[in-house]
């Protein structure tokens, strides 16, 4: 039987060691299966966060050979025979234990975003072409891999930036055909959208293939430009009225 | 599984616990290759373009005008290369372009050099909120100006085909045509353009005018999906067009006239 | 005694899937203080895995639809064992609940005239499932989550309730622990809503996530509530079968709703022969007729053609696949073929994006180019805590239940799409019921120190046995018992053997032990989950043994037919009697005449 070598970080609060385990490989096996094998056979207390094992819930985020990935989507057969596979917890958030990090900051960041606000007398007739953009953003499974890989959060520890996930959420609200709130000032001032330098790692790691940068962040940046950096656009908006009610 | 045994790694640091993340990265692939290639490509272009600007010659022969020098501003009071009066527009357009920003922030500023690569860039990161990068927000103005320049480039192509002596098809004007097509694809897929033609709307189906804007937006979106490809192809094509005209002007290559 | 945190709420909701979130939103909007406990992070609950859609008779696509038809479909699908009042309320209120989701920001796929698009699904007469591609559950949970965070609901994430606490016969609170660091927590609450979902993790091949350990079933059982219809366990006909790592992962019924065809290895479209006589006339008789229906559906047109046979109810399709495989006509890896590749690839990718990626990424199969291999997977339990239809109250004062952990709504078999609508209809009702109860309660119930200590000791116990039985071994044994003895087909000998083995496991589970600390220790968490898994499994096995007929999802090899006379009017009911599990057969609530009359007409009718 083929075997894989998994080098897993074990420890609490970012202090521990790497332990290597030998795990037999089954066809179609993913890294999360290997972690479960370790739990069931060697170490029941190995901490890992997971739910569905079908790439739908976005719980099992980790860094596999240095790449932020969902463990349930990382197939073992893409690694070379005998290759040592390093599995680390995601880096950008406080470490809890083994492969688990404390991602609660994201939930607090989410609460800051002004809620969906349709007009009281809204006509709920709208068409597919009006919502194609929004539906792409709503595919997000909140795995927070984009937050993990974003260098503004990861390397510069700038928690005054909402991060790609919440830029996507904001875009979904801003571009909703019936929403009436203007979030541009929020995005510039509290959201820290200017901190994003569109280096696109969020898009590279997104397991739902959302075009985070091109379709969410850049269009939002352009809306912020309309409001704050483009005197001509601002002039027209003032004279002819904004699009929002 | 009886044959599956746990083995301690020898890499556990002696006398102290290890952190989950140390060093630059645990990525095993050649993550440095992409920023390295991008840096080489840009540097090559910048060096060539700078050389050509200050060379101030070999840019026009017959009906062929190098894109570096078009539209041609030859004024008596301007003692330097006329390219300087023009080239800041496409240079600014590309420098503030959302794709190029990604590319050079990675390749030149290492902020970040690649995904999940540790910190290599400068300190006190302010992104695009402070001088000088806050000026990236002027991208749309460069788009307007570059679009005007592009009209002149199309006009140059027209002149290159419809020469005083009659209709001419040559290797040079075909390449010039290819160049403006690529430049148009690049400009047309610009993120600022995408915003202006329809991206700023929330509801496309509201009225007849917004429905038309949706169609335009949809078209720009198609180009925008491959903005990086357009950016590179047009960067090379513009440089090669200039090189071709320069070489023809200097007699290194023939005109390759078909009829 | 070790330390524990204390929180007080008027209403405590346990479980943050669709039902729990909807209950919390409703209770909170009525002005009471609400705590919401979830075992995982917020928004990861099993609801995210619901794919196909939410059933509501909006009649946007098929104008003939109405609540009466939805009600009849639900009752027929449940083999008339459903609590009629629940089925009625569900059919009547689902459209309003769906529109409400839209007003809260959900973005459903649209019809050509700008309304919510609806697709066909098994057992539904008309196209009724409002959907967002094949990720409807995600849309629902995200909408409710975002609505909830702006309502001042206190959310306790990665927190697990191990016991309900009572003051006399009334609910007084709950005891639990945080998964992150293992610290204990006491919730004092006037009312509790259980919305914990199902029991799938007791089976080897299941579409359910790890959270599905029968928590609500067991907590309610321990607190004195009764569980009904526990024998009815739904095997979804189409789960992935290959590769082994992904076995059981759901393949949405939406594939068949969009025109997917089931074939055996000989290429035979076998579903024609498995249609029950009673519903045979509702389905296409030939490939041409089925194709006409699909073509019309794709173009959004009306047609007289009948539905394809693949859209029979889940119990039928699951049994059909099982029998095809057993007869040696299965696919290479022991399933059958489900094919949607005859349609335009771009459309398939647009309407079934998750399925496309799921097969591409996990099985190297391009579903736009070839068939999928599918087979039955444990998916849902119809049985659950018996509740009052209007308020979702259980028989324990102050305890409410909604969603999959409650019973009665779906009878002997649930129709696809009815679970998501169940969540929002009865989630709202449970939230309102609990808030109302809490407001009316004159004296706040108190929690005794002894009951807290008992709960705490129970949680500490596994650490006193560092060399005890490995909880993972017990979980594996339980999976084998349930899959072998209480699977898709059942018979007396097997069930009895299974129950005997479960008794053994019950003894062993007292010996489970765990090493390490309380900090994020999955082995320790499993020790606690096992108790719930075993209680719910035993309830399933005992109820299955007692029902001597085949009905809906309950198929007995030794009693192959439906027995209306003896079993058509009773629900099996499980309750706690000292240390043993008591089983009774209680009369099913009788439907009033006006509803009964609906079923006498040949065509489904709307009043």
């Amino acid at each position: 039987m083929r075997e894989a070598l998994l080098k897993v970080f074990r420890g609490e609060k970012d202090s521990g060691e790497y332990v290597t385990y030998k795990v037999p490989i089954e066809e179609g096996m993913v890294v999360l299966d290997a972690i479960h094998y370790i739990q069931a056979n060697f170490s029941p207390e190995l901490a890992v966060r997971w739910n569905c094992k079908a790439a739908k819930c976005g719980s099992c985020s980790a860094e596999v050979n240095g790449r932020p990935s969902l463990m349930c989507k990382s197939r073992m057969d893409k690694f070379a025979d005998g290759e040592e596979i390093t599995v680390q917890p995601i880096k950008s958030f406080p470490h809890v234990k083994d492969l688990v990090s404390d991602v609660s900051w994201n939930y607090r960041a989410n609460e800051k975003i002004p809620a969906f606000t349709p007009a009281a007398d809204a006509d709920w007739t709208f068409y597919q072409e009006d919502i194609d953009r929004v539906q792409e953003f709503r595919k997000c499974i909140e795995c927070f891999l984009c937050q993990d890989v974003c260098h503004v959060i990861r390397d510069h520890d700038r928690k005054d930036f909402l991060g790609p996930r919440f830029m996507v959420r904001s875009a979904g609200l801003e571009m909703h055909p019936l929403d009436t709130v203007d979030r541009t000032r929020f995005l510039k001032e509290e959201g820290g959208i200017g901190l994003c330098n569109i280096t696109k790692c969020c898009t590279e790691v997104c397991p739902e293939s959302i075009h985070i940068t091109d379709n969410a962040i850049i269009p939002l940046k352009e809306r912020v430009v309309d409001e704050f950096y483009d005197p001509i656009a601002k002039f027209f908006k003032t004279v002819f009225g904004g699009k929002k009610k | 599984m009886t044959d599956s045994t746990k083995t301690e790694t020898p890499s556990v640091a002696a006398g102290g616990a290890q952190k989950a993340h140390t060093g630059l990265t645990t990525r095993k692939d050649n993550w440095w290759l992409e920023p390295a290639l991008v840096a080489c490509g840009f540097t090559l272009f910048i060096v060539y373009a700078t050389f050509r600007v200050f060379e101030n010659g070999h840019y026009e022969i017959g009906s062929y005008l190098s894109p570096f020098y078009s539209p041609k501003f030859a004024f008596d009071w301007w003692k330097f290369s006329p390219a300087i009066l023009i080239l800041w527009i496409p240079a600014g357009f590309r420098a503030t372009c959302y794709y190029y920003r990604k590319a050079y922030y990675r390749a030149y500023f290492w902020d970040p050099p690649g995904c999940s690569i540790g910190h290599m860039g400068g300190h006190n990161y302010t992104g695009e909120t402070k001088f000088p990068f806050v000026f990236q927000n002027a991208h749309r103005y460069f788009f307007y100006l570059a679009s005007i320049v592009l009209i002149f480039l199309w006009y140059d192509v027209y002149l290159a085909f419809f020469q005083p002596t009659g209709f001419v098809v040559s290797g040079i004007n075909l390449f010039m045509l290819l160049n403006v097509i690529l430049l148009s694809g690049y400009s047309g897929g610009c993120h600022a353009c995408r915003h202006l033609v329809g991206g700023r709307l929330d509801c496309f189906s509201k009225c007849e005018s917004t429905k038309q804007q949706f169609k335009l937006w949809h078209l720009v979106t198609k180009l925008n999906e491959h903005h990086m490809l357009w950016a590179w192809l047009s960067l090379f094509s513009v440089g090669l067009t200039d090189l071709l005209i320069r070489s023809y002007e200097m007699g290194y290559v023939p005109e390759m006239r078909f009829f | 005694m070790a330390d524990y945190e204390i929180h007080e709420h008027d209403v405590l909701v346990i479980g943050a899937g669709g039902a729990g979130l909807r209950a919390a939103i409703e209770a909170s909007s009525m002005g009471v203080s609400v705590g919401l406990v979830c075992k995982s992070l917020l928004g990861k609950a099993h609801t995210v895995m619901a794919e196909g859609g939410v059933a509501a008779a909006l009649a946007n696509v098929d104008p003939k639809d109405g609540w009466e038809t939805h009600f009849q479909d639900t009752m027929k699908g449940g083999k008339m064992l459903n609590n009629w009042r629940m089925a009625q309320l569900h059919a009547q209120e689902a459209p309003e609940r769906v529109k409400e989701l839209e007003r809260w920001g959900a973005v459903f796929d649209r019809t050509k005239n700008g309304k919510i698009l609806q697709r066909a699904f098994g057992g539904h007469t008309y196209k009724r499932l409002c959907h967002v591609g094949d990720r409807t559950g995600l849309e629902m949970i995200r909408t409710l989550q975002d609505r909830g965070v702006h309502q001042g609901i206190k959310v306790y994430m990665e927190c697990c309730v191990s016991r309900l606490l009572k003051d006399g016969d009334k609910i007084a609170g709950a005891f639990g622990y945080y998964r992150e660091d293992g610290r204990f927590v006491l919730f004092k609450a006037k009312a509790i809503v259980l919305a914990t979902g199902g029991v799938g993790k007791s089976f080897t091949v299941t579409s359910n996530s790890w959270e599905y350990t029968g928590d609500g079933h067991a907590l309610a059982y321990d607190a004195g509530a009764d569980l009904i219809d526990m024998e009815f366990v739904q095997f979804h006909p189409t789960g992935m079968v290959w590769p082994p790592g992904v076995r059981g992962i759901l393949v949405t019924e939406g594939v068949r709703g969009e025109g997917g065809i089931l074939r055996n290895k000989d290429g035979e479209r076998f579903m024609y022969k498995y249609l029950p006589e009673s519903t045979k006339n509702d389905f296409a008789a030939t490939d041409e007729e089925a194709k006409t229906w699909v073509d019309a559906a794709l173009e959004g047109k009306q047609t007289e053609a009948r539905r394809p046979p693949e859209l029979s109810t889940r119990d039928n399709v699951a049994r059909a696949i099982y029998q095809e495989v057993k007869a040696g006509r299965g696919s290479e890896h022991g399933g059958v073929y489900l094919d949607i590749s005859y349609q335009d690839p771009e459309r398939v990718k647009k309407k079934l994006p998750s399925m496309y990626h799921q097969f591409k990424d996990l099985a190297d199969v391009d579903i736009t180019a070839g068939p999928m291999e599918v087979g039955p997977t444990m998916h849902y339990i119809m049985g659950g805590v018996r509740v009052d239809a209007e308020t979702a109250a259980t028989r324990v004062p102050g305890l409410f239940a909604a969603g999959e952990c409650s019973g009665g709504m779906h009878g002997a078999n649930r129709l696809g799409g009815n679970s998501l609508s169940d969540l929002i209809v009865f989630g709202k009702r449970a939230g309102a019921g609990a808030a109302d109860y809490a407001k009316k309660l004159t004296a706040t119930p108190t929690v005794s120190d002894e009951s807290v200590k008992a709960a705490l000791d129970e949680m500490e116990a596994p650490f006193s046995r560092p060399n005890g039985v490995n909880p993972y071994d017990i979980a594996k044994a339980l999976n084998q018992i349930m899959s072998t003895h209480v699977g898709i087909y059942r018979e007396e000998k097997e069930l009895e053997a299974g129950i005997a083995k479960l008794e053994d496991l019950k003894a062993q589970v007292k010996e489970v032990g765990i090493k390490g600390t309380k900090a994020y220790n999955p082995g320790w968490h499993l020790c606690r989950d096992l108790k719930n898994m075993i209680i719910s499994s035993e309830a399933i096995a005992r109820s299955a043994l007692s029902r001597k007929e085949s009905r809906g999802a309950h198929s007995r090899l030794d009693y192959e037919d439906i027995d209306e006379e003896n079993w058509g009017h009773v629900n099996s009911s499980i309750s706690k009697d000292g240390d043993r599990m008591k089983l009774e057969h209680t009369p099913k609530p009788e439907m009033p005449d006006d509803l009964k009359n609906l079923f006498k007409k040949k065509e489904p009718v709307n009043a």
Side-chain angles (χ1 to χ4, degrees), chain B residues 65-184:
Chain B
L65 176 65
S66 157
F68 281 7
Y69 286 81
S70 174
K72 197 170 78 177
F73 284 151
F75 303 110
D76 292 344
W77 49 267
W78 184 255
K79 303 293 176 216
F80 308 100
S81 164
I84 295 173
L85 293 174
I86 288 304
L87 225 50
W88 63 274
I89 293 174
F93 183 44
R94 290 191 186 243
T96 58
C97 161
Y98 284 98
Y99 164 69
Y100 282 103
R101 272 143 82 177
K102 169 206 164 183
Y104 65 73
Y105 286 138
R106 284 194 185 193
Y108 286 151
F109 294 89
W110 294 349
D111 216 350
C115 302
S116 68
I117 308 298
H119 190 43
M120 291 171 82
H123 293 284
N124 301 324
Y125 177 81
T126 52
E128 300 184 335
T129 60
K130 297 264 158 65
F131 180 82
F133 295 120
V134 71
F135 284 101
Q136 305 283 29
N137 288 309
H139 185 47
R140 61 178 63 172
Y141 285 99
F142 283 106
F143 167 72
Y144 302 142
L145 294 171
S147 301
I148 296 169
V149 172
L150 188 59
I151 294 170
F152 280 98
L153 293 179
W154 273 104
Y155 184 63
D156 291 342
V157 172
Y158 170 80
L159 293 179
F161 278 94
F162 297 93
Q163 298 185 7
T165 52
F167 184 68
V168 170
V169 178
S170 71
I172 290 176
N173 64 22
L174 282 177
F175 205 87
M176 287 171 77
L177 177 65
L178 174 73
N179 178 46
V180 288
I181 291 172
L182 293 173
L183 285 172
S184 305

Side-chain angles (χ1 to χ4, degrees), chain C residues 492-513:
Chain C
E492 191 162 297
K493 293 199 307 282
E494 291 288 336
L495 288 165
E496 280 171 346
I499 290 169
K501 288 185 185 173
L502 283 175
E503 293 289 344
D504 280 353
L505 271 198
K506 270 203 265 182
Q508 283 184 50
V509 86
K510 295 195 174 100
E511 301 302 320
V512 288

Side-chain angles (χ1 to χ4, degrees), chain C residues 79-82 228-229 231-232 386 412 546-549 551 563-573 584-590:
Chain C
K79 301 297 177 282
M80 305 304 280
L81 206 65
N82 321 47
I228 59 166
D229 296 338
E231 63 273 40
F232 299 109
R386 189 201 297 266
S546 80
R547 183 171 285 272
K548 295 183 169 51
E549 65 158 349
R551 178 185 294 268
D563 179 353
E564 200 54 38
E565 198 186 325
N566 291 309
W567 294 99
H569 300 276
V570 290
N571 299 103
S572 47
S573 160
E584 295 162 286
H585 293 109
T586 55
K588 170 180 100 169
E590 272 306 304

Side-chain angles (χ1 to χ4, degrees), chain C residues 186-199:
Chain C
L186 170 66
F187 296 102
K188 294 182 176 174
K190 294 177 186 164
I192 288 181
V193 178
L194 293 173
T196 57
V199 302

Side-chain angles (χ1 to χ4, degrees), chain C residues 67 95 117 126 184 186 188 191 208 232 238 285 327 403 455 528 574 595:
Chain C
W67 78 261
L117 181 62
Y126 299 114
F184 293 119
L186 170 66
K188 294 182 176 174
N208 292 175
F232 299 109
T238 59
R528 181 60 193 68
I574 296 271
L595 292 181

Side-chain angles (χ1 to χ4, degrees), chain A residues 18 20 37 84 130 201 230, chain B residues 1 9 20 28 115 125 141 205:
Chain A
Y18 280 91
T20 306
Y37 184 89
E84 193 176 63
D130 296 325
C201 286
D230 182 349
Chain B
M1 289 296 147
T9 46
K28 293 176 177 172
C115 302
Y125 177 81
Y141 285 99
S205 63

Side-chain angles (χ1 to χ4, degrees), chain A residues 139-151:
Chain A
K139 287 196 303 191
C140 170
I141 57 175
E142 293 200 332
C143 62
F144 304 131
L145 288 174
C146 56
Q147 305 287 79
D148 177 44
V149 82
C150 172
H151 74 120

